[in-house]
Each structure stands twice: as structure tokens, then as C-alpha cells.
Amino acid sequence: MTLKAGDTLPDVTFMTMTADGPQPMSTDDVFAGKRVALFAVPGAYTPTCSAKHLPGFIEKASELHAKGVDRIACTSVNDVFVMGAWGKDQGVKDDVLMLADGNGDFATAIGLDMDGSRFGMGKRSQRYALVVNDKVVEHFFLDEPGNFEVSSAEHVLKAL
């Protein structure tokens, strides 16, 4: 099953890095009672993700908030230490919540996992963006493999 607008997000546990170390965050912790722009990348530190995808959401954070987004979050099938370091290196501060989907549970549950073995990356997430209101998907944007277009911050802004 691939996620679509109108679907409710499944209950999973992400990990996020805090000043006190790794902390779990449930789907409810992230999405309940909030309007969230969530985007997924195939991998932290990968070229498109580091040069365009994450920086675009940092740059457009205030515009997204002005359009009614309470929280911006990034997820990837990477461990919490990698996601924490990548967020720090990219200067996310409080602009983007970095969510590690270390085992790919979320990506699999929403039908957006992929096999990156051909590139030595193993199980990963496809590149997409969602606007979620209180755990219900409002907008869903899935990029074609190898592309970066509809999951960009600019595209999400146009839809709001």
C-alpha cells in the first residue's frame, strides 16, 4: 500500500537527537494536533539531499510557517547519530526536526521504501514530501526515481 491524500499515518517510532542524546518520538509526538510538512530523502549527506532538498526547507521555513505549517520535519533511513550530525552540519537549528527512521519502519509502513543496494545503500526511503494535518495526509508529492522536483520546499509552498 502506498500512502495517499486522506490516509492516516501509521504508528511508528522515530529517533531524534537532542541535547540529552537520542530520544524516541512516536507518530503522535510528531504529528498529533499539528500541521507538519514532512520530507523524506534517500540518505543524509547525499549530494541532492545536502545541496538542495534540506537547504530548501531551511530557507523556506518562515514562508511555510506563514502558510500554516506548525512543524517541518525531515526523515531518512539513517541512524539517529547520522541524522543529528547532518542536521548540525546543515545548520537546521529549530527549523527542521530531524527524524531517523533507522530500520525503515516508517518508509515500509507507508509503502515508500526502496532498495538502494545497487548503489551500496541497502534499504532506503523514496524521495517525497507530505503535508500532514493531525496525522492525516493533506498533500502527497512523490518524486520519480532519480528526480528532485515535486518534493521541494518551493513545490510544497505552491500547494499551500
Side-chain angles (χ1 to χ4, degrees):
M1 174 203 114
T2 299
L3 195 71
K4 63 186 179 309
D7 286 349
T8 300
L9 295 181
D11 293 323
V12 299
T13 300
F14 299 97
M15 293 296 290
T16 191
M17 187 57 74
T18 71
D20 297 324
Q23 296 295 318
M25 289 190 83
S26 69
T27 302
D28 281 347
D29 294 334
V30 178
F31 300 99
K34 296 174 188 71
R35 191 171 191 214
V36 180
L38 172 74
F39 64 102
V41 298
Y45 290 104
T46 56
T48 300
C49 305
S50 291
K52 297 177 184 176
H53 211 171
L54 179 55
F57 278 91
I58 296 168
E59 179 184 313
K60 300 292 184 184
S62 61
E63 292 175 58
L64 287 160
H65 293 305
K67 293 275 190 166
V69 170
D70 300 308
R71 170 180 280 165
I72 302 165
C74 174
T75 187
S76 183
V77 181
N78 286 111
D79 67 69
V80 67
F81 298 100
V82 168
M83 290 297 285
W86 187 44
K88 184 177 179 182
D89 288 350
Q90 290 281 319
V92 299
K93 298 180 181 128
D94 292 330
D95 291 330
V96 179
L97 176 64
M98 303 300 282
L99 298 172
D101 183 20
N103 295 321
D105 295 339
F106 184 72
T108 300
I110 63 172
L112 294 172
D113 55 326
M114 68 170 206
D115 182 359
S117 298
R118 192 173 95 188
F119 305 103
M121 296 172 71
K123 179 180 180 177
R124 295 293 174 139
S125 173
Q126 295 181 53
R127 183 183 305 280
Y128 64 87
L130 306 172
V131 177
V132 180
N133 194 349
D134 195 22
K135 293 178 54 176
V136 176
V137 177
E138 281 183 24
H139 300 282
F140 172 58
F141 309 107
L142 176 63
D143 275 311
E144 292 295 322
N147 287 343
F148 170 62
E149 295 171 14
V150 299
S151 67
S152 70
E154 293 82 3
H155 188 85
V156 171
L157 271 168
K158 288 178 189 174
L160 298 176

